[in-house]
Amino acid sequence: MRLDDLDPSKNARDHGSGGGRRGFGGGGGGGGLGLLLSFLPMLLGRKMGCGTILLIGGAALAFMYFGGGASMLTGGGGTQAGGSGDAVAYDTQEERFAGQVLASTEQTWAKLFQANGSRYQPTTINFYQGGVSSNGCGSASSAAGPFYCPADQGIYLDTSFFNELETKMGAKGDFAKAYVIAHEVGHHIQTLSGVSSQVRQQQARASKAEGNALQVRMELQADCYAGVWAAQNANRMEPGDVEEGLTAAHAIGDDTLMRGSGRRPVESMFTHGSSEQRMAWLKKGMQTGDPAACDTFARGAVR
């Protein structure tokens, strides 16, 4: 994906190295990408909240059910970004790329919101190493993977995750990384639209299986929103990007992750959707480029 002409977003902070405790405290719920593998044994017995891409870890399934808050770069020039906390210097290739992806999402969603008569309020990307304490979603270690925290409307990312995405998940390429960030931005769109809070309210009154089913719809909608972003930036796409995205979506399906951990897939325990569902909704966003096509909560939309 061609993003070299974009300056990285200024909506970024650098938390450096931290020792955050393993997992999430307080009101989780934004979406952690990497918790799946390492915590997958817990996933069948714990609650989930508002999620993210559920990538390589194993605990995203575990930390996100019923949470309150929480559900890519050349080291050039040390550009500093605004925002509270530590100013960020894009001093690695991975961070700079993440900042460029975020800048692209800001341009895209600002245009889409404006067309709908409203103003887009960007999210902030928070870089950290090892562990971090978020404002409203507790603490997390890098095992959590990328996640979004609705309480502070921030994305949290330890860029070492990108190496795990490639080596452990087999999802290679820059678009696979960009998809991760665009998915988390999708959760931000859900926060701005009110979908996130509505789902959490419904989950609070639902059974575990019902709450999981709601969470699946949340995650699939974020996948679709990531596809919308890609479609809106078709002029930046390169040969192989679509395949990279679909490969990543397949790799993080609940059924694929459960099989990879030696467990039999149990649909009632899915919280992010099957590989087939994740690929289908990412592809739908890519094909339509229309956020209105991402209504995963419509009757019969998710099977």
Side-chain angles (χ1 to χ4, degrees):
M1 192 168 196
R2 297 185 297 272
L3 299 171
D4 290 346
D5 62 311
L6 291 179
D7 290 329
S9 172
K10 293 184 178 180
N11 295 304
R13 290 179 290 181
D14 190 351
H15 298 267
S17 299
R21 65 184 181 276
R22 196 169 186 79
F24 291 81
L33 300 176
L35 284 123
L36 292 194
L37 299 181
S38 56
F39 289 89
L40 198 54
M42 301 159 49
L43 104 96
L44 296 181
R46 295 198 49 178
K47 295 181 177 181
M48 307 280 301
C50 253
T52 178
I53 229 177
L54 178 61
L55 283 151
I56 58 160
L61 294 175
F63 96 75
M64 291 204 304
Y65 182 61
F66 277 54
S71 156
M72 297 172 149
L73 318 177
T74 45
T79 303
Q80 290 197 341
S84 59
D86 299 328
V88 78
Y90 289 106
D91 53 7
T92 69
Q93 180 180 356
E94 289 77 13
E95 287 181 356
R96 185 172 180 81
F97 180 66
Q100 289 171 317
V101 173
L102 186 62
S104 176
T105 67
E106 290 168 352
Q107 293 177 3
T108 299
W109 287 106
K111 178 180 66 176
L112 291 171
F113 270 56
Q114 185 177 25
N116 198 40
S118 56
R119 182 180 178 184
Y120 177 62
Q121 297 294 331
T123 181
T124 297
I125 193 166
N126 297 268
F127 297 113
Y128 70 95
Q129 299 173 19
V132 68
S133 179
S134 63
N135 296 325
C137 296
S139 300
S141 75
S142 57
F147 67 94
Y148 173 77
C149 177
D152 61 17
Q153 297 190 11
I155 294 170
Y156 289 80
L157 173 66
D158 184 335
T159 57
S160 65
F161 173 77
F162 292 149
N163 181 60
E164 298 182 39
L165 179 63
E166 180 173 344
T167 60
K168 295 184 180 180
M169 304 287 294
K172 302 179 180 180
D174 56 0
F175 188 76
K177 300 173 186 177
Y179 161 50
V180 169
I181 295 174
H183 174 99
E184 299 308 331
V185 172
H187 285 305
H188 181 59
I189 303 304
Q190 292 170 326
T191 295
L192 297 179
S193 67
V195 168
S196 179
S197 61
Q198 292 173 19
V199 168
R200 289 198 298 275
Q201 291 171 10
Q202 293 178 46
Q203 286 176 321
R205 302 187 298 269
S207 68
K208 183 175 180 179
E210 292 169 338
N212 285 349
L214 286 166
Q215 190 61 40
V216 165
R217 292 175 185 265
M218 282 278 287
E219 298 302 327
L220 296 179
Q221 186 176 64
D223 280 340
C224 186
Y225 284 156
V228 168
W229 164 75
Q232 293 287 329
N233 291 274
N235 61 320
R236 296 184 176 278
M237 300 284 281
E238 298 177 300
D241 281 349
V242 172
E243 290 77 12
E244 289 173 8
L246 293 176
T247 296
H250 181 275
I252 59 179
D254 287 334
D255 52 342
T256 297
L257 289 168
M258 287 180 177
R259 290 190 188 97
S261 69
R263 292 180 177 270
R264 179 177 61 85
V266 179
E267 187 174 356
S268 64
M269 299 308 300
F270 288 2
T271 58
H272 288 65
S274 68
S275 292
E276 182 179 356
Q277 288 173 323
R278 302 205 69 168
M279 292 172 66
W281 282 97
L282 174 61
K283 193 172 182 179
K284 186 168 187 176
M286 288 179 170
Q287 291 174 336
T288 66
D290 182 6
C294 298
D295 186 6
T296 58
F297 295 91
R299 184 182 298 274
V302 176
R303 292 180 172 84

